[in-house]
Amino acid sequence: MTEPTDLLALLQRPLEPTFLPKDDGKTVIDVPEEFLTDRYRPIGAELQSRFTSDAEQRIPVRNVPSTPDLSFANGIQKRGAFSLFIPMHRDAAAALINLFLGQPDVQTLMSVATYCRDRLNAVLFQYALAVAIQHREDTKNVNIPSIVSLFPDQFVDPAVFPKLREEGAAVQQENRMVIDIPPAYTASDREDEQRMAYFREDIGVNMHHWHWHLVYPGDGPLEVVRKDRRGELFFYMHSQLIARYNAERFCARLKKVRHLTNLREPVPEAYFPKMVRSSNSRSYPARSANSVLQDVDRVDNNTTVAVADLERWRDRIHEAIDQGFVLDTQGNRMPLDEERGIDLLGDIVEASILTPNRTLYGSLHNMGHNVIAYIHDPDYRYLEDYGVMGDVTTAMRDPIFYRWHGMIDGLFRRHKDMLTPYTGAQLGNEGVSVTSVGVQLTRPNTPANVLLTYWQRSQVDLAAGLDFGPQGNVFASFTHLQHAPFSFRVEVNNASGASKQATLRIWIAPKVDERGTALPFREQRQYFIEMDTATVTLNPGMNTIVRRSDDSSVTIPYERTFRAIGTKAQPAAPSQLAQFRFCGCGWPAHMLLPKGSPEGVQFDLFAMVSDYAQDQVVQDLDPNAPCNDAHSFCGLRDKKYPDRRAMGFPFDRRTEDTVKTLNDFVAPNGNMKAATIQVKFNNTVIART
């Protein structure tokens, strides 16, 4: 019988024929001769004898009564580019997901997926199978590997690939060297934006963006797309990306992101990605400085959108926000109220298949990505594929991503600013007061409220993505930001006389801008970065709550971001086996803190203990369920979002005009406390042990 984990073999070496060995040559998929493509069917018997004799594991694939109709993917080249922003590609992905979800059992799914694999675009196949595995009851325990292992070309300097193949071909596995990926290879320090390359081009950051869109696809079966507060989470996750990016810019003495509101003016930011698609060995196109957005008319994938379309959709969304309602296709008003308005707006802006009126409000977010991605060749005159903004795995590398999403975030904040400020009753927690908040490095004899960042060199195995390359492990090392472990310490007095539950919310925000000028609270609240949210039990009297940095509700650990590959890597213990696909969603732990600076950058640390009666979501939860630790960005699998408050609470709404500073905001609320902390950067490189 086919095991659910056998599906992992189909994900390895995505551009190689399915009959070639997997798992370092130890696993072979027994492909029926009828499944072979026209190129290999005449020599099927020879292939069987050549590639199956040394296999330790054979995965059976049975024939199917009728092979599936794959005409939905016509026009998407097997070795071409694939993008979730292109409508034709999204439609094909939705059809393929439906096909995989509709199979009655794992054995039939294995057969149908095997037939599809050698006939479809590799990225399309990988994406659809990963989504299907995640959402099928009989495969949800399958731990899908890191995408950087499968498609390293989306994340890694291509200059290292020849070195990796040479090392793998010429040297036995036990003696292979680790090939180093240079930390800054897309521009020199003459370009100011290069100061942010460590953030934009971080492998874990870009993998997070891909993972999030895999968990929350915009198209596909309704049971896959319609997740609790999906539209609001689209807003919140991307809003936090912009807040984090601005905080990093202030650390680097750069101005805040300038929103891409004028779509007619030249784009001053250039980007030369230095990346090559493994599928067709063509480079991701560059964008020169002062390029101008143009109408897109791509005959290769039927993508047609004008700059005027983006402006019209944006203006209609502005009008809807100002009026307080959107119109569905029947002309009915749908209110943008306090509770569901942001969720509805997220479905419209993206726009997912949940949008109530695509004709009126269009597809602003997705088509904006396309107009930017095709800025170099909008009418397919030069037969060029899209740039990095056209792919969720690479979009965050480009400085214009943050300008575009800054504009998108501005739409959501326009709606939020229409709402009335939170009342004292909404912000307060009767009988509960926070007496102090601080941070401390876990190493002994270190000063309080001073955090430390530095460079770390880590390794990732890229062998599974080196199609037609060496068997065995082939490691590359990369340098990324890291922070020394630390803990938050919050002192809370419960004067109610009885034990009670509450929600601890911890945030940080830059105190000053790039010039060292103090940020007014009106602006600063947009830069608050969520550090942790947790349900706590308060005993009568004084309570000391300690939350370690690796407890954060935002992040996942390094081992889950860069997880192992192969059917042999699947853990045997039932508790570990439940590390299903959802576990890959979360902000990388090594990027929890902003970089800071050698002399130290000051941040406001804010702690709030809110009223659990207003926070609680009533649902059955397994306290031992894995992968619930990054719920702030990713929610809970198959559950409601575990916090009834608006995402971003208490900083998502404007305050009264009398609130000029964070202290003005905190002072009336005893269940809040603020402190000043410092983040210092040590410009040294430490290898991961």
Side-chain angles (χ1 to χ4, degrees):
M1 289 293 294
T2 304
E3 296 294 330
T5 53
D6 292 341
L7 292 164
L8 293 176
L10 293 173
L11 299 178
Q12 297 181 45
R13 296 183 175 242
L15 296 173
E16 289 184 358
T18 306
F19 57 75
L20 287 179
K22 308 295 186 289
D23 283 342
D24 303 337
K26 300 173 184 177
T27 299
V28 166
I29 300 173
D30 285 331
V31 181
E33 191 168 330
E34 296 82 359
F35 281 18
L36 296 175
T37 59
D38 294 342
R39 171 66 185 91
Y40 295 112
R41 191 174 297 132
I43 54 175
E46 177 191 346
L47 296 174
Q48 291 286 347
S49 61
R50 282 178 58 197
F51 295 114
T52 64
S53 55
D54 297 331
E56 297 178 9
Q57 179 187 13
R58 302 174 71 96
I59 299 176
V61 176
R62 68 185 182 192
N63 211 333
V64 290
S66 60
T67 54
D69 178 11
L70 303 181
S71 59
F72 57 77
N74 289 347
I76 305 177
Q77 298 179 9
K78 186 178 188 307
R79 287 189 167 271
F82 171 82
S83 169
L84 290 172
F85 295 123
I86 297 173
M88 186 178 80
H89 292 191
R90 285 204 311 273
D91 292 344
L96 189 56
I97 292 168
N98 265 320
L99 176 65
F100 290 156
L101 288 176
Q103 302 312 309
D105 50 50
V106 171
Q107 196 163 6
T108 310
L109 174 61
M110 183 75 191
S111 298
V112 171
T114 299
Y115 177 82
C116 294
R117 187 181 186 275
D118 290 334
R119 290 166 172 80
L120 296 176
N121 178 278
V123 184
L124 163 63
F125 174 83
Q126 295 263 336
Y127 170 76
L129 185 59
V131 172
I133 288 174
Q134 175 185 311
H135 290 90
R136 286 178 63 104
E137 279 299 315
D138 54 4
T139 58
K140 69 179 184 180
N141 288 339
V142 174
N143 186 2
I144 290 180
S146 153
I147 190 176
V148 72
S149 302
L150 303 174
F151 292 101
D153 55 294
Q154 309 279 44
F155 303 93
V156 173
D157 179 4
V160 305
F161 292 141
K163 300 175 185 177
L164 289 168
R165 287 192 167 92
E166 177 184 351
E167 189 72 16
V171 181
Q172 292 295 319
Q173 182 169 329
E174 59 271 15
N175 296 319
R176 289 175 185 168
M177 292 175 55
V178 176
I179 306 301
D180 187 49
I181 302 169
Y185 59 88
T186 50
S188 71
D189 57 9
R190 296 180 64 182
E191 170 55 54
D192 286 344
E193 291 296 329
Q194 190 64 11
R195 298 183 212 169
M196 299 301 299
Y198 71 92
F199 184 97
R200 291 186 285 102
E201 297 172 358
D202 182 84
I203 295 176
V205 164
N206 284 275
M207 286 175 61
H208 158 75
H209 191 233
W210 179 84
H211 279 130
W212 190 93
H213 282 278
L214 187 65
V215 173
Y216 292 94
D219 288 79
L222 272 178
E223 64 268 24
V224 171
V225 179
R226 197 189 296 278
K227 294 186 173 74
D228 183 54
R229 297 170 70 178
R230 184 206 182 285
E232 184 179 7
L233 197 52
F234 173 82
F235 144 69
Y236 181 61
M237 191 278 290
H238 287 91
S239 183
Q240 280 287 287
L241 293 184
I242 300 302
R244 286 178 172 273
Y245 191 65
N246 275 315
E248 301 281 359
R249 292 181 70 84
F250 293 154
C251 292
R253 300 295 178 90
L254 293 172
K255 294 180 180 178
K256 66 181 180 181
V257 171
R258 188 166 68 91
H259 296 177
L260 190 64
T261 52
N262 186 343
L263 304 182
R264 303 289 178 170
E265 68 179 12
V267 177
E269 297 88 355
Y271 188 61
F272 291 76
K274 311 287 192 301
M275 296 174 68
V276 176
R277 290 187 180 91
S278 59
S279 59
N280 58 14
S281 296
R282 288 187 175 182
S283 62
Y284 278 84
R287 183 185 63 256
S288 300
N290 297 313
S291 297
V292 179
L293 299 178
Q294 302 177 65
D295 297 348
V296 172
D297 184 11
R298 298 282 299 199
V299 297
D300 56 322
N301 53 38
N302 299 327
T303 301
T304 303
V305 59
V307 175
D309 292 331
L310 301 180
E311 293 171 327
R312 184 169 56 255
W313 296 334
R314 179 198 61 198
D315 293 345
R316 287 175 177 172
I317 294 171
H318 277 159
E319 183 181 16
I321 293 169
D322 293 344
Q323 292 176 334
F325 63 86
V326 298
L327 297 174
D328 65 15
T329 54
Q330 306 302 314
N332 300 311
R333 294 184 177 186
M334 305 176 69
L336 295 174
D337 55 20
E338 291 188 6
E339 184 177 357
R340 302 299 298 177
I342 189 69
D343 195 44
L344 179 58
L345 200 57
D347 292 335
I348 289 172
V349 171
E350 188 182 6
S352 72
I353 61 169
L354 305 178
T355 179
N357 196 336
R358 190 182 295 269
T359 302
L360 185 61
Y361 302 110
S363 180
L364 179 61
H365 166 262
N366 291 342
M367 283 304 183
H369 269 267
N370 283 330
V371 170
I372 297 169
Y374 287 123
I375 195 171
H376 57 284
D377 191 12
D379 59 3
Y380 201 46
R381 182 173 310 208
Y382 304 107
L383 309 182
E384 285 287 320
D385 282 328
Y386 53 76
V388 294
M389 273 289 283
D391 193 326
V392 293
T393 57
T394 56
M396 288 189 65
R397 304 173 68 87
D398 192 333
I400 204 171
F401 172 92
Y402 304 89
R403 294 194 60 201
W404 176 245
H405 271 277
M407 187 279 290
I408 296 292
D409 190 53
L411 289 173
F412 292 117
R413 291 192 178 276
R414 186 186 186 107
H415 161 69
K416 286 285 189 176
D417 286 345
M418 301 286 287
L419 305 178
T420 57
Y422 287 116
T423 65
Q426 290 172 307
L427 294 172
N429 190 356
E430 187 176 356
V432 173
S433 58
V434 179
T435 59
S436 70
V437 59
V439 292
Q440 182 76 52
L441 295 176
T442 55
R443 63 182 66 173
N445 303 319
T446 53
N449 293 337
V450 177
L451 301 178
L452 177 67
T453 64
Y454 55 90
W455 299 123
Q456 185 170 67
R457 182 174 289 118
S458 299
Q459 296 181 10
V460 61
D461 184 3
L462 299 181
L466 296 176
D467 298 279
F468 305 103
Q471 298 289 345
N473 298 329
V474 184
F475 285 98
S477 67
F478 60 99
T479 303
H480 57 86
L481 188 68
Q482 182 60 282
H483 60 83
F486 64 91
S487 294
F488 296 105
R489 183 184 179 95
V490 185
E491 301 282 348
V492 185
N493 183 35
N494 174 12
S496 68
S499 179
K500 64 185 299 183
Q501 282 190 298
T503 304
L504 173 64
R505 305 171 188 274
I506 301 175
W507 300 76
I508 64 169
K511 292 177 73 75
V512 298
D513 63 13
E514 79 284 355
R515 298 169 300 167
T517 304
L519 291 165
F521 185 69
R522 172 181 51 80
E523 182 180 359
Q524 185 194 31
R525 70 179 181 83
Q526 300 181 28
Y527 306 137
F528 270 89
I529 300 168
E530 182 177 351
M531 289 281 107
D532 196 11
T533 298
T535 302
V536 295
T537 300
L538 302 176
N539 296 317
M542 289 301 300
N543 296 260
T544 300
I545 304 171
V546 177
R547 293 284 294 178
R548 302 195 317 266
S549 52
D550 56 4
D551 288 331
S552 170
S553 63
V554 176
T555 62
I556 58 174
Y558 175 88
E559 293 74 18
R560 291 232 305 276
T561 298
F562 301 93
R563 61 178 56 173
I565 190 169
T567 56
K568 300 295 185 184
Q570 193 74 21
S575 60
Q576 295 176 319
L577 188 62
Q579 299 285 312
F580 38 69
R581 168 64 193 87
F582 188 79
C583 297
C585 185
W587 187 251
H590 62 266
M591 297 295 287
L592 176 62
L593 282 183
K595 182 181 176 183
S597 70
E599 62 274 15
V601 175
Q602 288 192 339
F603 286 81
D604 277 320
L605 170 64
F606 170 88
M608 175 185 191
V609 179
S610 59
D611 183 359
Y612 190 68
Q614 299 185 57
D615 307 332
Q616 184 181 17
V617 175
V618 179
Q619 59 183 336
D620 293 328
L621 293 178
D622 178 3
N624 299 315
C627 308
N628 286 349
D629 48 351
H631 60 77
S632 290
F633 280 4
C634 299
L636 303 179
R637 180 182 169 91
D638 300 330
K639 300 290 184 182
K640 293 181 180 180
Y641 192 81
D643 188 348
R644 201 162 81 231
R645 303 278 194 167
M647 298 178 197
F649 174 82
F651 299 112
D652 62 309
R653 292 196 198 176
R654 63 182 174 89
T655 56
E656 300 290 354
D657 293 340
T658 54
V659 178
K660 305 292 186 182
T661 66
L662 177 61
N663 287 335
D664 291 342
F665 181 69
V666 169
N669 303 289
N671 61 320
M672 302 177 183
K673 198 73 175 179
T676 298
I677 65 171
Q678 207 174 38
V679 180
K680 289 191 173 183
F681 170 68
N682 190 340
N683 192 22
T684 58
V685 180
I686 299 176
R688 178 180 295 275
T689 55

